[in-house]
Amino acid sequence: MPDKTTVSKRPATHDSKNDAVSADLIAVVIAVNHDGPRVLTIADSNALPSGPFEQGHRSLQSGLRAWVERQTGHPLGYVEQLYTFADRDRTGDGRVQISIGYLGLTREEKAEGSPTHGWRNWYEYFPWEDHRAGMPPILQDVLIPQLLAWADDTTDPKTRHDRRQRATFAFGLDERDWNEELTLQRYELLYEAGLVAEALRDRGESSSSPIPGRPMIADHRRILATGIARLRTKIKYRPVVFELMPPAFTLLQLQRTVEALAGRLVHKQNFRRLIEQQDLVEETGETTSDTGGRPAKRFRFRQSVLAERAVAGTKLPLSRS
């Protein structure tokens, strides 16, 4: 996809103190395997692949691809721009720091025990986001009580009402449905409430204990949340999931991949009916017995889907837990 942001091709490095603006290119690279949705990380799994936009880069996207391959050895396939984050004086030297996030979809390749990069399950960073087995205990036992305590920790009735309303909407309280697309809103609310490690770090606090969830450097977990939210939205109206699938797969494998990404179960029969109605896949003529039951048919995405990469979609038939 074409870049949506244009910046000057002046050198922008992490230690350059003469530039007024520094632009970092940050990649949220997603894959899915039998363990669930995975994100490609560096620096002991505490950072996303990233690097500054430099003079030798032909474009923002080419610069991003260069950094990802340099840091992880993993070539990027499908890439689209996520969002541009700008923070004045984030580095403490008067510069405006711009972080340009990208979403990349691929198939996981083994890191072969690399000490510098590897794949991590994205629910390690957001354990409250996986609802495939129902509401995670962390929500009911830890997160919600602390969030509501923060909401009530004010003498201003309007502020208290606003905080409560936002918590109710973001986390599906008071019998509201859980909206899996609000990953970023939930993280930002937890940050505002001082319940995640990054908030305590940025405020210079160390006495409080953050809620469970693996932290990341700078604003990388926020950018990861943005990528998860974008992907959860896109799988409902574009067949981007094929970027994550092997060339041949069963319908159960496809369903499990969608469920892993959404963090929700889908109605099996309705899901298969939608796949058939949209004419997204075709049989390969092969079967597999890996499912443990009777042989299952193997499918592949239709060539027209692979060529167009965009068709009219429909809402996923998600199960309500």
Side-chain angles (χ1 to χ4, degrees), residues 172-203:
L173 307 182
D174 297 340
E175 299 184 355
R176 291 177 177 267
D177 285 335
W178 173 268
N179 186 341
E180 64 280 351
E181 297 177 17
L182 301 182
T183 308
L184 177 60
Q185 288 91 327
R186 284 187 283 271
Y187 174 76
E188 291 189 326
L189 186 58
L190 294 174
Y191 181 95
E192 181 181 341
L195 297 179
V196 293
E198 289 88 340
L200 301 176
R201 177 197 65 202
D202 294 346
R203 299 174 187 180

Side-chain angles (χ1 to χ4, degrees), residues 105-278:
L105 304 181
T106 187
R107 298 183 185 97
E108 180 176 339
E109 294 181 2
K110 295 295 183 181
E112 296 181 354
S114 170
T116 60
H117 66 277
W119 295 92
R120 307 292 298 199
N121 189 307
W122 77 28
Y123 292 121
E124 292 182 25
Y125 302 92
F126 305 96
W128 55 86
E129 291 289 334
D130 189 0
H131 287 238
R132 287 173 292 175
M135 179 181 289
I138 183 181
L139 269 178
Q140 196 69 35
D141 300 339
V142 180
L143 193 154
I144 297 303
Q146 293 191 45
L147 186 63
L148 294 181
W150 165 79
D152 292 337
D153 187 23
T154 175
T155 58
D156 180 34
K158 185 179 183 302
T159 300
R160 185 183 307 114
H161 176 268
D162 176 67
R163 288 178 175 181
R164 279 247 173 193
Q165 189 174 52
R166 290 162 61 204
T168 296
F169 178 70
F171 287 90
L173 307 182
D174 297 340
E175 299 184 355
R176 291 177 177 267
D177 285 335
W178 173 268
N179 186 341
E180 64 280 351
E181 297 177 17
L182 301 182
T183 308
L184 177 60
Q185 288 91 327
R186 284 187 283 271
Y187 174 76
E188 291 189 326
L189 186 58
L190 294 174
Y191 181 95
E192 181 181 341
L195 297 179
V196 293
E198 289 88 340
L200 301 176
R201 177 197 65 202
D202 294 346
R203 299 174 187 180
E205 300 176 7
S206 59
S207 58
S208 300
S209 298
I211 60 174
R214 191 183 187 103
M216 303 186 86
I217 66 168
D219 54 359
H220 284 208
R221 189 153 55 143
R222 178 188 179 198
I223 295 173
L224 175 55
T226 305
I228 294 173
R230 171 73 64 83
L231 186 53
R232 285 180 165 182
T233 300
K234 289 183 72 69
I235 60 176
K236 297 178 181 179
Y237 67 89
R238 291 189 61 189
V240 294
V241 69
F242 83 82
E243 301 277 1
L244 304 168
M245 300 297 296
F249 49 85
T250 67
L251 292 184
L252 182 60
Q253 288 175 318
L254 180 61
Q255 177 185 329
R256 292 288 183 256
T257 297
V258 170
E259 290 174 336
L261 296 172
R264 299 282 295 276
L265 298 181
V266 303
H267 293 287
K268 180 178 179 180
Q269 297 306 321
N270 290 347
F271 177 77
R272 296 193 176 198
R273 188 177 301 114
L274 287 174
I275 295 297
E276 293 173 358
Q277 290 175 349
Q278 295 183 72

